[in-house]
Amino acid sequence: MAASAAVAVSLSQIAKMIDHSLLHPTMTDREVLAGLHMAKKYRVAAACVKPYSIPVAVDVLDGSGVLICAVIGFPHGNSTSEIKLLEAEEAVKAGAHEIDMVVNVGKVLGGDWEYVAHEIRAINDAVVKRGAALKVIFENDFLEDEHIARLCRICTALPVAFVKTSTGFGFVKQPNGLYACQGATVPHLQLMKANIGPSVQIKAAGGIRTLDEVMVAMTLGVTRIGTSSTVAIMEEAASRGIENGPKGFALVSLIDPYN
């Protein structure tokens, strides 16, 4: 039988862990607009959008306390450093408070750490200079533990605001020929936590769809969750008696619910 523990948490604390994802390539303008209003309703931490959606996000979320997070080099990180830098600068200028940037995975796997560090540094400097924060997406499904640990150390040395597990679109070919994405896993979150400094936070993204998954991530030191399942998570929290007050708590199973 798995062990469990009660964790004190309120609905607002759960909401402020969530970056609501509006990143699927098939999303229409109408769907993005509906998602922004939902993010505003639940007062999540941020709405995560593609760059062209920043203006409508500004219109909907102004004064709501919900931040605008824009992705760049998304989802594969293959743009040149110069294009990523321009994209980040334009996103912040348009109204983004946070930038989620995908590393050049091929450069990471090839061990070109000078390139990787220079790119992260340039974008972080530009974003911070304009009053925004950078989250660096590793795409852990493609990486070995040594790559994840090295990226954490690079991000800590700069430092960036967040390291992030996945885009949610890092699909790996399986033995049966189908493609699948694990996204955030407990071992990877533990590895990232062990290799970052106190000024760097962790965003877990990819496959997080339930309240239990959110709560396990919280117990591991994660402060942000990237998910498109915000409504389901918040409704589950309310149905389990979690409130906006000191009485709120969740019973968390101390196992890896992601596998």
Side-chain angles (χ1 to χ4, degrees):
M1 181 179 292
S4 60
V7 178
V9 66
S10 67
L11 284 176
S12 61
Q13 286 175 312
I14 294 170
K16 286 303 179 187
M17 283 190 69
I18 294 174
D19 283 2
H20 181 61
S21 175
L22 298 169
L23 301 174
H24 197 279
T26 66
M27 291 194 81
T28 65
D29 290 349
R30 180 177 295 180
E31 290 169 328
V32 170
L33 184 62
L36 291 168
H37 280 290
M38 190 276 297
K40 183 177 180 179
K41 172 185 174 182
Y42 284 105
R43 298 182 181 180
V44 297
C48 205
V49 299
K50 291 167 279 191
Y52 73 84
S53 295
I54 296 172
V56 67
V58 170
D59 288 342
V60 173
L61 300 176
D62 184 46
S64 68
V66 177
L67 300 176
I68 298 167
C69 173
V71 293
I72 66 166
F74 194 89
H76 299 305
N78 294 330
S79 300
T80 65
S81 297
E82 291 77 14
I83 292 299
K84 287 182 180 178
L85 179 60
L86 177 61
E87 197 174 11
E89 290 173 337
E90 290 298 311
V92 176
K93 188 185 301 182
H97 307 99
E98 298 179 340
I99 298 295
D100 282 20
M101 184 272 292
V102 188
V103 299
N104 186 311
V105 177
K107 290 289 189 181
V108 171
L109 292 173
D112 193 345
W113 294 110
E114 183 177 355
Y115 181 103
V116 171
H118 181 270
E119 179 175 87
I120 296 172
R121 181 183 298 108
I123 296 168
N124 188 59
D125 287 349
V127 167
V128 171
K129 179 180 178 181
R130 289 162 176 79
L134 179 66
K135 306 192 199 88
V136 177
I137 307 173
F138 295 179
E139 205 64 283
N140 287 349
D141 279 71
F142 295 142
L143 306 179
E144 300 296 333
D145 286 0
E146 64 192 76
H147 303 122
I148 296 169
R150 182 74 174 264
L151 283 168
C152 284
R153 293 194 294 270
I154 289 171
C155 289
T156 296
L158 291 174
V160 301
F162 285 83
V163 292
K164 178 178 171 182
T165 58
S166 323
T167 63
F169 299 96
F171 296 100
V172 178
K173 192 172 185 179
Q174 306 300 307
N176 62 5
L178 299 179
Y179 285 80
C181 172
Q182 278 192 302
T185 68
V186 166
H188 281 162
L189 293 174
Q190 291 171 328
L191 177 65
M192 293 169 81
K193 184 65 176 176
N195 283 278
I196 56 171
S199 64
V200 180
Q201 300 179 68
I202 300 174
K203 177 176 174 179
I208 298 181
R209 302 182 182 92
T210 69
L211 178 62
D212 281 343
E213 289 166 347
V214 172
M215 296 306 302
V216 168
M218 180 185 287
T219 65
L220 296 173
V222 170
T223 54
R224 288 285 187 91
I225 298 292
T227 185
S228 58
S229 300
T230 302
V231 173
I233 290 167
M234 295 305 294
E235 287 183 349
E236 183 182 359
S239 72
R240 286 165 61 172
I242 299 175
E243 304 171 352
N244 274 323
K247 294 182 180 179
F249 72 94
L251 191 64
V252 181
S253 179
L254 300 180
I255 59 172
D256 185 350
Y258 307 170
N259 292 325

